[in-house]
């Protein structure tokens, strides 16, 4: 029994030596890329090209894999991207060359191992690696998008000084989802499985809808102050009043006085006028803008706005009661409020005949009965004022109140 096993092992060893010798002999045979054949059981994309010449292998692969046109569709429109337009190439020649050289490397022993595995074990598969011109593809996609994309149209509102409300309707926008489209194309090219693509479209909803602007139908709060119209200060009030007027504030948005007016400089239309600096009146650019912020502040209080930032003057103002002023200084102190309603509001300032009136329009559903009460406390050279907002029901009974601001003034 032992002798038989030894004999079998010797025969197997002898057979392996003969097989290796034959392989080595075959490898030493002079071949070229035109006439030589690819070793058996070598595949490209699972297409078996073993025992085929390079030309035969290419014909075999091209039956299943070749660059096809990419068709894009949207409604009744159709576009074709030809392979040559984007230089689409599956690099078949490169993969066939790799297959041909797989058993023809310089390391002969390694080649013998590969041949042995291919002869008795599993096949060897080589994947095609697609390439294309990304810049050209993007350019073609951009041109197609221009034919389809429609910009979103926001609804608008304009309120005249007479109170007339003019609105325009919103319109949804259409936009090709370029990221998703490119991902689809890249995936098809990578898998060598070209199919027609329905263009992925995003519907862009307007931020300001028709329903939103049409909900503005009443005055929620208004306030007026007077001034000398024939002075530089009066001129500044006109400029600041205009820059903070006709502003739509959506639900949850915050109005910033300084952001609306910008810097109070000569280039922005402001003139030198009296301002308070260090507790003293001096000439400075933009004097008078605090009267505009104060007027809007009082309208905002009566409209039920959430006051986010407000500051009082060093001395009591001549144009507003104590506790009801809003001092501003660009880059330092601001006046801000937030629209906490579920509907938008609209600021309208009217400046003429030595008076400025600020009106805050909104939805009738949001209107509340409000009045403002202040409490004053004197201490030596100062006046401390607490400002409360009182909410009433239909019978003028107090529902609730809230402390809005605490002010401190110097007594001259």
């Amino acid at each position: 029994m032992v002798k038989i096993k030894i004999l079998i092992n010797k025969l197997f060893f002898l057979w392996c030596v003969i097989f290796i010798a034959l392989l080595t002999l075959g490898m030493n045979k002079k071949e070229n890329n035109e006439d030589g054949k690819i070793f058996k059981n070598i595949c490209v994309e699972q297409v078996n090209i073993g025992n085929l010449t390079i030309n035969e292998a290419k014909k075999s692969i091209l039956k299943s894999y070749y660059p096809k046109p990419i068709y894009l569709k949207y409604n009744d429109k159709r576009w074709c991207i030809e392979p040559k337009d984007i230089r689409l190439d599956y690099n078949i020649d490169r993969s066939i060359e790799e297959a041909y050289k797989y058993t023809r490397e310089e390391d002969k022993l390694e080649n013998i191992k590969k041949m042995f595995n291919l002869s008795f074990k599993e096949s060897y598969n080589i994947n095609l690696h697609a390439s294309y011109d990304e810049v050209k593809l993007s350019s073609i996609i951009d041109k197609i998008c221009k034919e389809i994309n429609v910009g979103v149209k926001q609804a608008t509102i304009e309120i005249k000084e007479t109170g007339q409300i003019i609105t325009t309707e919103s319109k949804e926008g259409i936009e090709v989802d370029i990221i998703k489209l490119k991902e689809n194309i890249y995936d098809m090219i990578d898998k060598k499985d070209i199919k027609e693509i329905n263009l992925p479209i995003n519907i862009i909803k307007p931020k300001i809808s028709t329903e939103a602007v049409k909900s503005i139908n009443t005055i929620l709060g208004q306030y007026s102050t007077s001034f000398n119209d024939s002075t530089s200060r009066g001129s500044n009030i006109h400029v600041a009043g205009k820059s903070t007027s006709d502003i739509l504030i959506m639900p949850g948005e915050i109005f910033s006085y300084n952001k609306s007016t910008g810097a109070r400089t000569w280039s922005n239309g402001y003139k030198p006028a009296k301002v308070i600096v260090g507790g003293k009146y001096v000439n400075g650019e933009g004097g008078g803008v605090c009267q505009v912020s104060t007027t809007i502040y009082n309208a905002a209080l009566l409209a039920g706005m959430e006051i986010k930032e407000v500051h009082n003057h060093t001395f009591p103002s001549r144009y507003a009661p104590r506790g009801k002023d809003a001092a501003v200084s660009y880059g330092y102190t601001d006046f801000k409020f937030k629209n906490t309603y579920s509907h938008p509001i609209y600021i309208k300032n009217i400046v003429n005949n030595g008076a400025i009136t600020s009106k805050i329009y909104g939805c009738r559903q949001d209107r509340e009965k409000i009045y403002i009460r202040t409490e004053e406390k004197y201490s030596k050279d100062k006046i401390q004022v607490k400002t409360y907002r009182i909410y009433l029901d239909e019978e003028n009974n107090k529902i609730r109140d809230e402390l809005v601001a605490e002010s401190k003034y110097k007594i001259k």
Side-chain angles (χ1 to χ4, degrees):
M1 191 71 179
V2 175
K3 290 181 178 181
I4 294 173
K5 285 185 178 180
I6 294 172
L7 181 61
I8 291 173
N9 288 335
K10 286 182 177 180
L11 289 173
F12 179 75
F13 178 76
L14 181 62
W15 182 87
C16 288
V17 170
I18 294 170
F19 178 75
I20 292 171
L22 289 172
L23 287 177
T24 306
L25 205 65
M27 287 171 53
N28 291 331
K29 182 180 177 181
K30 189 175 181 181
E31 295 177 327
N32 57 56
N33 282 359
E34 295 296 326
D35 301 325
K37 290 188 176 182
I38 297 164
F39 200 82
K40 62 182 178 181
N41 286 336
I42 296 180
C43 304
V44 172
E45 290 289 344
Q46 307 305 326
V47 176
N48 196 329
I49 57 173
N51 296 321
L52 299 179
T53 64
I54 287 178
N55 288 336
E56 290 171 341
K58 187 171 183 177
K59 290 178 182 178
S60 180
I61 294 170
L62 283 172
K63 290 178 182 178
S64 302
Y65 298 98
Y66 60 90
K68 300 176 184 177
I70 300 171
Y71 289 98
L72 307 178
K73 185 180 179 183
Y74 175 68
N75 292 340
D76 57 346
K77 294 184 178 181
R78 198 164 182 253
W79 298 265
C80 176
I81 302 176
E82 295 288 352
K84 62 181 176 59
D85 295 338
I86 59 173
R87 296 177 183 171
L88 177 59
D89 189 356
Y90 288 160
N91 298 295
I92 293 174
D93 291 339
R94 188 187 302 170
S95 296
I96 292 175
E97 184 180 359
E98 182 183 343
Y100 181 82
K101 291 182 177 179
Y102 183 66
T103 57
R104 291 174 171 83
E105 303 291 346
E106 291 183 3
D107 190 335
K108 293 184 178 181
L109 182 59
E110 183 64 27
N111 291 336
I112 291 171
K113 290 180 181 179
K114 290 177 180 178
M115 290 177 180
F116 183 84
N117 288 333
L118 290 168
S119 298
F120 298 101
K121 294 185 179 181
E122 54 191 27
S123 62
Y124 176 72
N125 184 66
I126 298 170
N127 291 320
L128 293 172
H129 294 285
S131 62
Y132 56 92
D133 190 321
E134 164 67 25
V135 175
K136 289 185 177 293
L137 177 60
S138 294
S139 177
I140 292 170
I141 289 175
D142 287 343
K143 289 179 182 177
I144 293 172
C145 290
K146 287 179 181 178
E147 296 183 41
I148 297 173
N149 291 351
V150 176
V152 63
K153 185 179 179 182
Q154 308 294 342
T156 65
I157 181 171
E158 179 186 4
I159 300 179
K160 302 290 187 179
E161 291 188 4
T162 58
Q164 180 188 9
I165 300 176
I166 302 171
T167 61
T168 65
E169 294 189 350
S170 61
K171 186 177 181 181
E172 292 180 342
I174 299 173
E175 187 177 83
V176 176
D177 190 333
I178 294 180
I179 294 176
K180 189 174 181 180
L181 173 59
K182 286 186 175 181
E183 286 177 350
N184 291 340
I185 293 175
Y186 299 160
D187 187 59
M188 286 197 314
I189 290 175
D190 183 59
K191 293 178 179 177
K192 280 72 71 177
D193 184 21
I194 306 297
K195 298 177 182 177
E196 185 174 83
I197 297 177
N198 285 316
L199 288 179
I201 300 295
N202 291 329
I203 303 299
I204 311 301
K205 298 286 186 181
K207 293 180 180 178
I208 305 173
S209 67
T210 303
E211 294 73 21
V213 296
K214 285 189 177 296
S215 72
I216 298 175
N217 52 25
T218 190
I219 296 173
L220 300 180
Q222 71 176 49
Y223 195 81
S224 299
T225 59
S226 59
F227 62 95
N228 188 339
D229 208 358
S230 60
T231 62
S232 294
R233 188 175 180 281
S235 175
N236 291 338
I237 289 174
H238 277 272
V239 175
K242 184 177 180 181
S243 66
T244 54
S245 183
D246 302 299
I247 295 176
L248 183 70
I249 305 171
M250 298 301 289
E253 288 185 349
I254 293 176
F255 167 81
S256 164
Y257 184 82
N258 284 343
K259 185 177 179 180
S260 298
T261 63
R264 269 77 84 174
T265 59
W266 180 268
S267 60
N268 284 338
Y270 292 95
K271 299 178 180 180
K274 294 292 184 181
V275 294
I276 299 176
V277 177
K280 296 180 180 180
Y281 284 96
V282 297
N283 279 326
E285 285 186 329
V289 294
C290 290
Q291 182 162 348
V292 179
S293 59
T294 293
T295 308
I296 298 173
Y297 171 50
N298 281 274
L301 284 174
L302 295 170
M305 297 294 103
E306 180 184 344
I307 307 303
K308 304 297 288 186
E309 181 180 350
V310 68
H311 306 271
N312 62 276
H313 290 85
T314 305
F315 300 107
S317 300
R318 293 189 294 269
Y319 47 79
R322 292 186 288 268
K324 293 185 178 182
D325 59 328
V328 290
S329 175
Y330 191 79
Y332 296 96
T333 56
D334 199 359
F335 162 57
K336 297 178 181 179
F337 67 81
K338 181 178 181 179
N339 175 14
T340 56
Y341 296 138
S342 58
H343 303 95
I345 63 166
Y346 184 94
I347 301 175
K348 180 67 180 182
N349 296 330
I350 302 171
V351 187
N352 56 35
N353 299 322
I356 175 172
T357 298
S358 182
K359 300 179 181 181
I360 294 183
Y361 287 80
C363 180
R364 190 172 289 108
Q365 297 175 13
D366 298 327
R367 187 166 59 188
E368 298 188 76
K369 295 185 73 173
I370 293 172
Y371 79 89
I372 307 303
R373 178 173 60 83
T374 58
E375 291 181 357
E376 297 185 354
K377 182 179 179 181
Y378 290 79
S379 58
K380 295 184 179 179
D381 59 343
K382 291 183 181 180
I383 304 174
Q384 294 179 315
V385 183
K386 290 184 177 181
T387 305
Y388 293 90
R389 179 159 48 191
I390 316 299
Y391 294 83
L392 306 174
D393 61 18
E394 293 300 322
E395 285 74 37
N396 292 326
N397 298 311
K398 185 173 79 171
I399 301 173
R400 68 184 189 280
D401 60 9
E402 61 175 328
L403 177 64
V404 177
E406 294 186 68
S407 308
K408 292 182 181 180
Y409 302 96
K410 288 183 179 180
I411 301 174
K412 296 181 183 179

